[in-house]
Amino acid sequence: MLRFLVRRALGAAVILFLLSIVTFLIFYGMPRDPALLICGKSCTQANLENIRHVLGLDKSIPEQYWLFLHNLVLGSDDYLQGPCPAPCFGYSFHTGEAVWGTLIDRLPTTISLTLGAAVCFLAFGLGAGLLAAWRRGTLIDKTATATAMVVSSMQIYFLGPLALAILVYQMQLFDKPAYNEFTEDPVAWFTGLIIPWVILSTIFAAQYTRMARSAMIEQLQEDHVRTARAKGMSRRYVFFRYAWRGSLIPIVTIFGIDMGSLFGGAIITEYTFGLPGLGRLAVDAVAFSDLPLLLGVMLFSASMILLFNIVVDAAYAFIDPRVRLS
């Protein structure tokens, strides 16, 4: 297991290295000049050249990329804003703040949004899927399947404004979504995120309902499940002891991918509800052609996806004994 995890970690490092190169090249393919954006409307050529020199934009692309990797691993004392300890992503072109500090400041919002939504879509999605598989062919099964199909065709940028218009502005049942520190006011933290949780989890819950139902029905047709039933075990015991455990493999796989993506920033949800998370930060980085911030968000998001993929692969050994034996 340890050898497997080390091998996956090395593979993840290679992927992050290649991703950083691609992001760097995409940035230089953008038509906007970050130095010109910072300089403003009353910009002179001398000021423009000075800004490019301060930001290091007058160096060649390989030199800038090598400097970025060096600072990321070892840190740097050459920035005008002060020392930048590792991991140093540099300073934002737009705000002048340290990129790593900005990521850490925005991370609690994304974590709160992700964990709350995960609890909701796992509880409702898996619950509805298991109930539909248990009562296969009945009205409950058909209702859960049809509802999941309809909801999965909707999008957050449609449901989000609709929920705001009805629940916040028209009926005034909830305050406008906002992030509050949990340690300062847990009640405000909960009420400020309840609508984003529900909207974000709605799309995922529909996906997990269909997945759990199909996985359970497939497992109920396996030979070991039929053998357990033939031995006289109760339907409930076989359902949860044998079929449920076998159906977890595809569910855990998709859950790991979803959690990695959400921890990297739920862009549409955060932008729709004005939440200051990593997704909103990524949009701002692209809008202002902010290379250090863009690289920081991209690499952090990719790291989360790769990390959860490794965790999922390691979890297979605990879910399925056949994986552990192999």
Side-chain angles (χ1 to χ4, degrees):
M1 177 63 70
L2 179 60
R3 182 181 300 177
F4 166 77
L5 295 177
V6 172
R7 187 168 62 250
R8 289 301 308 271
L10 293 176
V14 173
I15 294 175
L16 290 176
F17 173 73
L18 297 176
L19 179 63
S20 65
I21 295 177
V22 172
T23 307
F24 227 90
L25 295 178
I26 291 176
F27 173 83
Y28 280 97
M30 297 174 64
R32 306 175 71 178
D33 185 359
L36 188 60
L37 294 175
I38 297 173
C39 194
K41 295 182 179 180
S42 59
C43 183
T44 63
Q45 186 63 30
N47 292 336
L48 187 62
E49 295 297 331
N50 182 62
I51 292 175
R52 285 174 176 166
H53 176 71
V54 171
L55 297 179
L57 298 176
D58 55 346
K59 296 182 174 65
S60 64
I61 296 178
E63 288 178 324
Q64 292 186 50
Y65 181 73
W66 171 252
L67 184 63
F68 168 76
L69 289 181
H70 176 275
N71 296 341
L72 182 62
V73 177
L74 301 177
S76 176
D77 295 328
D78 296 335
Y79 287 98
L80 295 178
Q81 294 89 340
C84 183
C88 176
F89 289 94
Y91 289 84
S92 169
F93 288 168
H94 180 65
T95 64
E97 298 178 354
V99 173
W100 181 249
T102 304
L103 294 176
I104 297 302
D105 290 340
R106 299 292 187 96
L107 187 58
T109 303
T110 299
I111 291 177
S112 298
L113 179 62
T114 299
L115 293 181
V119 171
C120 293
F121 69 68
L122 283 179
F124 292 103
L126 295 184
L130 291 177
L131 183 60
W134 177 267
R135 304 298 300 274
R136 182 184 179 186
T138 64
L139 180 61
I140 295 177
D141 178 23
K142 295 177 182 179
T143 301
T145 304
T147 302
M149 291 293 293
V150 172
V151 174
S152 62
S153 64
M154 300 180 181
Q155 297 297 327
I156 295 176
Y157 52 76
F158 168 75
L159 293 177
L162 185 64
L164 288 176
I166 296 177
L167 299 178
V168 177
Y169 300 116
Q170 183 175 352
M171 302 180 66
Q172 297 182 355
L173 296 178
F174 299 93
D175 295 331
K176 185 177 180 180
Y179 175 74
N180 300 279
E181 291 289 344
F182 177 80
T183 55
E184 296 179 359
D185 192 343
V187 176
W189 172 82
F190 179 82
T191 57
L193 291 175
I194 188 170
I195 293 181
W197 283 342
V198 172
I199 297 301
L200 180 58
S201 65
T202 299
I203 308 300
F204 287 94
Q207 175 187 357
Y208 281 84
T209 297
R210 294 183 298 165
M211 187 185 310
R213 178 186 180 275
S214 61
M216 285 297 299
I217 291 176
E218 180 180 352
Q219 285 296 314
L220 289 172
Q221 298 173 352
E222 293 289 336
D223 292 338
H224 68 282
V225 175
R226 294 179 178 178
T227 302
R229 290 294 304 274
K231 290 181 177 180
M233 298 181 184
S234 66
R235 182 188 179 193
R236 184 186 303 272
Y237 182 83
V238 172
F239 189 88
F240 291 101
R241 177 63 178 83
Y242 292 97
W244 167 237
R245 186 174 182 179
S247 67
L248 284 179
I249 292 292
I251 295 174
V252 169
T253 301
I254 301 301
F255 179 70
I257 297 175
D258 291 339
M259 289 298 289
S261 301
L262 290 176
F263 267 106
I267 296 177
I268 299 178
T269 304
E270 292 177 3
Y271 203 83
T272 299
F273 296 105
L275 300 175
L278 294 177
R280 182 68 179 269
L281 191 64
V283 176
D284 295 339
V286 174
F288 293 106
S289 300
D290 198 333
L291 176 59
L293 191 58
L294 181 61
L295 276 171
V297 174
M298 290 290 292
L299 291 180
F300 186 86
S301 301
S303 299
M304 290 295 101
I305 296 175
L306 294 173
L307 175 62
F308 275 93
N309 283 337
I310 295 175
V311 172
V312 166
D313 289 341
Y316 288 161
F318 298 95
I319 297 174
D320 193 339
R322 294 171 298 180
V323 176
R324 183 165 59 250
L325 293 175
S326 61

